[in-house]
């Protein structure tokens, strides 16, 4: 174990950095997608709701590994060879980011939808009755209350997404699992290597969980009303 | 129509209908409310009273018919309903105070956000309205720190901060503990005395009797009888009204 740490430790740390980078990119876009699709699913407009429904069910119904292969290999092939437009190459980081953003975005959309629906309709009605337009009411009254109930689920989803980055080792992105595989194939010390990798994930996720607890406690102390 | 009299009609509802799918909740209702008039709507649960009230500020979309507020047809497509709602305060059965804000911010939100008043002006108005409903000491409290009666008085103050010309009350005391009903009715009584045009859906027959200029009895989506409180409560004609009063009085 000492040998692995001394020789490959820096490499694994770099890989952990890549994992976090990928997760960060993915989560950033997932938040945007989740917010847009989540709000679409509570709108009156039927087309918006149907789009949101299809998106969420499509993404949730496809395993992420399939999605990853599809985006990394399938889409460039379709674009360059079938449509003969050419010139599309996705780096593993780009494909991985898209994949995570779509996957996590769909789950985030569901969390956001549920959060908004959990706010009593009377809150929206009261705001509208005062003459506030729909989006102002959403922004000032409904969303602040919804977000408070959503935060634990969102952080949970962050953790899941962080772990899901390991799936993207299949498209060759040099994140932690992929790098660990290489280390194992060179050293044959699979027990030690995977134990180190597991420990690294564990540490990062425990830190995230502690942060989550802190935020939750803060919110509870801030207002008891919900 | 006499021009002078026409000006005084604050709310005019003509042939209002509201269906939920095949269910007819409001069946062809027409009624006028004059300036400064206090109209109480009574009737059994599920008769359409609340739906009718909620049509008046379009929280409920009507199926057909016309509603005029201050001489403006608010059921027309060209009307900006948000502007109309500024003129119509509404008080709900379940208060619906904004849980994420303290009392003062509840009162200031709409005037400031809609740029009707500056922050300072809105704060002054808010504090004056709180004083009016007897809750000056609660400006910094959050909704969950208030009793039901206090919440409802804050809700009334919040509506008044928009300086509305009309106030709608949707069973304002139905969710209150009995000992808190009085304080809310007292505020409403004062509001009526100040000349506010009010439409009140209520189960408080004594309040209706004492404060209303006119009482409407609704059953099965229609106004079956209307008149001054003395007649409605003293000499009801419609058998359904007689039956209803026997049960509630």
């Amino acid at each position: 174990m000492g040998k692995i740490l001394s020789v490959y430790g820096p490499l694994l740390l770099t890989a952990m950095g890549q994992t976090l980078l990928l997760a960060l990119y993915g989560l950033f876009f997932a938040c945007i997608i989740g917010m847009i699709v989540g709000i679409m699913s509570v709108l009156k407009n039927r087309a918006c709701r149907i789009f949101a429904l299809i998106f969420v069910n499509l993404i949730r119904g496809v395993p992420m590994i399939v999605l990853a292969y599809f985006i990394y290999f399938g889409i460039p092939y379709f674009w360059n060879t079938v449509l003969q437009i050419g010139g599309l190459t996705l780096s593993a980081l780009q494909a991985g980011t898209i994949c995570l953003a779509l996957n996590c975005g769909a789950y985030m959309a569901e969390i956001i939808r549920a959060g908004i629906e959990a706010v009593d309709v009377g809150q929206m009605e009261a705001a509208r009755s005062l003459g506030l337009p729909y989006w102002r009411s959403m922004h000032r009254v409904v969303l602040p209350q919804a977000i408070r109930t959503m935060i634990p689920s969102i952080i949970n989803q962050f953790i899941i997404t962080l772990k899901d980055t390991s799936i993207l080792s299949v498209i060759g992105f040099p994140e932690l699992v992929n790098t660990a595989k290489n280390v194992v194939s060179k050293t044959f010390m699979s027990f030690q290597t995977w134990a180190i990798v597991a420990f690294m994930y564990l540490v990062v996720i425990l830190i995230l969980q502690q942060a989550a607890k802190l935020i939750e406690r803060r919110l509870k102390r801030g207002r008891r009303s919900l | 129509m006499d021009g002078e009299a026409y000006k005084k009609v604050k709310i005019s509802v003509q042939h209002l209908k509201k269906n939920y799918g095949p269910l007819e909740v409001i069946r062809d209702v027409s009624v006028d409310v004059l300036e400064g008039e206090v109209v109480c709507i009574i009737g059994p649960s599920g008769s359409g009273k609340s739906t009718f009230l909620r049509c008046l500020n379009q929280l409920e979309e009507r199926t057909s018919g016309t509603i005029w507020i201050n001489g403006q047809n608010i059921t027309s497509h060209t009307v900006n309903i948000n502007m109309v709602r500024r003129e119509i305060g509404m008080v709900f059965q379940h208060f619906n105070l904004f849980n994420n804000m303290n009392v003062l911010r509840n009162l200031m939100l709409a005037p400031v956000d809609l740029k009707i008043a500056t922050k300072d002006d809105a704060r002054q108005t808010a504090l004056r309205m709180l004083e009016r409903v007897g809750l000056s000491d609660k400006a910094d409290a959050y909704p969950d720190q208030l009793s039901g009666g206090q919440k409802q008085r804050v809700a009334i103050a919040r509506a008044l901060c928009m300086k509305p010309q009309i106030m709608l009350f949707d069973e304002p005391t139905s969710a209150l503990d009995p000992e808190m009903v009085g304080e809310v009715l007292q505020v409403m009584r004062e509001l009526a005395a100040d000349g506010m045009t009010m439409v009140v859906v209520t189960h408080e027959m004594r309040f209706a009797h004492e404060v209303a200029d006119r009482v409407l009895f609704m059953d099965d989506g229609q106004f079956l009888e209307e008149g001054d409180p003395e007649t409605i409560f003293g000499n009801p004609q419609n058998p359904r009204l007689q039956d209803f009063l026997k049960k509630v009085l």
Side-chain angles (χ1 to χ4, degrees):
Chain A
M1 189 162 291
K3 186 195 158 206
I4 290 189
L5 279 178
S6 59
V7 179
Y8 295 104
L11 190 68
L12 289 173
L13 274 179
T14 313
M16 187 79 225
Q18 291 293 305
T19 289
L20 288 174
L21 184 76
L22 180 60
L24 216 64
Y25 279 159
L27 283 171
F28 175 75
F29 291 107
C31 285
I32 296 173
I33 292 175
M35 203 62 174
I36 293 172
V37 177
I39 287 178
M40 280 173 93
S41 63
V42 297
L43 290 180
K44 253 188 171 180
N45 186 307
R46 238 180 120 203
C48 285
R49 285 209 319 268
I50 290 172
F51 173 84
L53 190 77
I54 291 173
F55 174 78
V56 168
N57 283 305
L58 193 71
I59 299 294
R60 288 202 306 188
V62 176
M64 201 171 107
I65 194 164
V66 176
L67 191 65
Y69 281 133
F70 184 76
I71 290 169
Y72 189 57
F73 298 111
I75 287 181
Y77 167 79
F78 183 72
W79 186 267
N80 299 333
T81 312
V82 179
L83 293 181
Q84 302 259 319
I85 298 171
L88 181 73
T89 47
L90 286 174
S91 71
L93 178 61
Q94 287 166 337
T97 301
I98 295 171
C99 184
L100 278 181
L102 288 176
N103 190 66
C104 178
Y107 287 96
M108 293 274 275
E110 279 298 278
I111 293 170
I112 287 164
R113 181 190 59 75
I116 291 172
E117 282 177 353
V119 177
D120 178 30
V121 289
Q123 297 285 313
M124 175 59 99
E125 286 184 349
R128 297 307 306 277
S129 79
L130 289 165
L132 288 171
Y134 180 86
W135 289 108
R136 299 300 297 168
S137 310
M138 202 64 166
H139 171 62
R140 301 304 299 268
V141 176
V142 178
L143 285 181
Q145 296 182 52
I147 284 170
R148 192 169 294 153
T149 63
M150 290 183 309
I151 287 206
S153 315
I154 287 178
I155 291 172
N156 190 38
Q157 188 57 46
F158 279 9
I159 291 171
I160 292 171
T161 302
L162 182 68
K163 293 206 276 187
D164 277 351
T165 53
S166 60
I167 292 171
L168 297 170
S169 61
V170 299
I171 58 171
F173 185 73
E175 47 70 68
L176 193 50
V177 168
N178 201 8
T179 308
K181 270 193 212 158
N182 293 339
V183 173
V184 172
S185 65
K186 280 183 194 135
T187 61
F188 302 108
M189 292 197 256
S190 59
F191 177 81
Q192 295 90 327
T193 309
W194 291 116
I196 290 166
V197 167
F199 183 73
M200 288 172 81
Y201 274 116
L202 192 63
V203 167
V204 170
I205 284 161
L206 282 178
I207 290 171
L208 257 176
Q209 276 170 347
Q210 285 309 308
K213 269 191 196 147
L214 215 72
I215 293 171
E216 259 179 79
R217 219 175 302 150
R218 259 238 171 107
L219 284 171
K220 277 203 189 116
R221 200 177 44 200
R223 270 304 350 123
R224 293 169 292 143
S225 56
L226 286 169
Chain B
M1 198 187 289
D2 183 328
E4 196 64 49
Y6 180 77
K7 253 201 326 204
K8 288 191 144 184
V9 177
K10 285 303 240 188
I11 305 172
S12 178
V13 177
Q14 281 152 17
H15 303 294
L16 181 71
K17 287 185 193 172
K18 169 75 186 173
N19 301 346
Y20 288 117
L23 188 70
E24 290 183 309
V25 187
I26 307 286
R27 313 166 187 254
D28 199 355
V29 161
S30 297
V31 68
D32 284 352
V33 178
L34 303 180
E35 184 164 20
E37 201 179 16
V38 177
V39 173
C40 284
I41 304 176
I42 60 171
S45 308
S47 57
K49 308 182 297 290
S50 289
T51 309
F52 172 77
L53 196 74
R54 291 160 55 86
C55 282
L56 296 182
N57 67 354
Q58 296 281 285
L59 278 186
E60 217 62 73
E61 263 177 63
R62 94 234 186 277
T63 306
S64 66
T66 320
I67 299 166
W68 304 75
I69 302 283
N70 276 332
Q72 186 187 15
N73 177 1
I74 67 159
T75 42
S76 129
H77 288 299
T78 54
V79 84
N80 179 352
I81 194 62
N82 294 322
M83 297 303 286
V84 177
R85 283 176 178 151
R86 294 182 184 188
E87 309 282 315
I88 310 175
M90 187 166 206
V91 175
F92 299 85
Q93 181 177 354
H94 295 288
F95 332 122
N96 298 352
L97 295 183
F98 305 135
N99 295 319
N100 54 329
M101 303 173 193
N102 67 17
V103 166
L104 194 62
R105 285 185 53 220
N106 260 277
L107 270 60
M108 290 170 59
L109 175 70
V112 172
D113 225 56
L114 296 172
K115 299 193 169 59
I116 293 169
T118 65
K119 250 189 169 153
D120 285 340
D121 287 345
R123 176 177 287 115
Q124 277 181 11
T125 310
L127 291 172
R128 217 169 47 238
M129 292 306 164
L130 278 182
E131 201 183 327
R132 191 167 169 184
V133 298
L135 289 172
S136 294
D137 53 330
K138 298 293 184 190
D140 297 324
Y142 276 81
D144 63 335
Q145 296 166 322
L146 302 176
S147 72
Q150 291 171 333
K151 281 185 205 175
Q152 196 60 301
R153 285 188 282 154
V154 170
I156 294 173
R158 180 176 66 182
L160 291 177
C161 281
M162 291 297 289
K163 305 194 169 77
Q165 302 190 22
I166 298 166
M167 286 286 285
L168 309 176
F169 293 84
D170 188 4
E171 301 196 23
T173 58
S174 297
L176 296 178
D177 291 337
E179 74 267 26
M180 293 169 182
V181 170
E183 60 191 69
V184 172
L185 292 183
Q186 186 51 35
V187 170
M188 291 169 63
R189 224 174 260 130
E190 288 164 16
L191 208 53
D194 285 351
M196 177 66 77
T197 308
M198 291 162 62
V199 182
V200 185
V201 169
T202 186
H203 290 293
E204 293 293 328
M205 297 305 149
R206 271 183 49 204
F207 175 80
H209 198 157
E210 174 197 339
V211 180
D213 297 305
R214 192 150 47 105
V215 177
L216 305 179
F217 171 66
M218 186 171 242
D219 194 9
D220 204 16
Q222 285 169 308
F223 290 126
L224 295 183
E225 190 161 340
E226 71 166 277
D228 60 79
E230 297 308 324
T231 324
I232 291 280
F233 293 110
N235 185 20
Q237 301 299 317
N238 190 297
R240 303 251 280 278
L241 174 56
Q242 291 169 351
D243 191 43
F244 174 71
L245 289 177
K246 218 176 287 168
K247 279 180 195 148
V248 296
L249 288 179

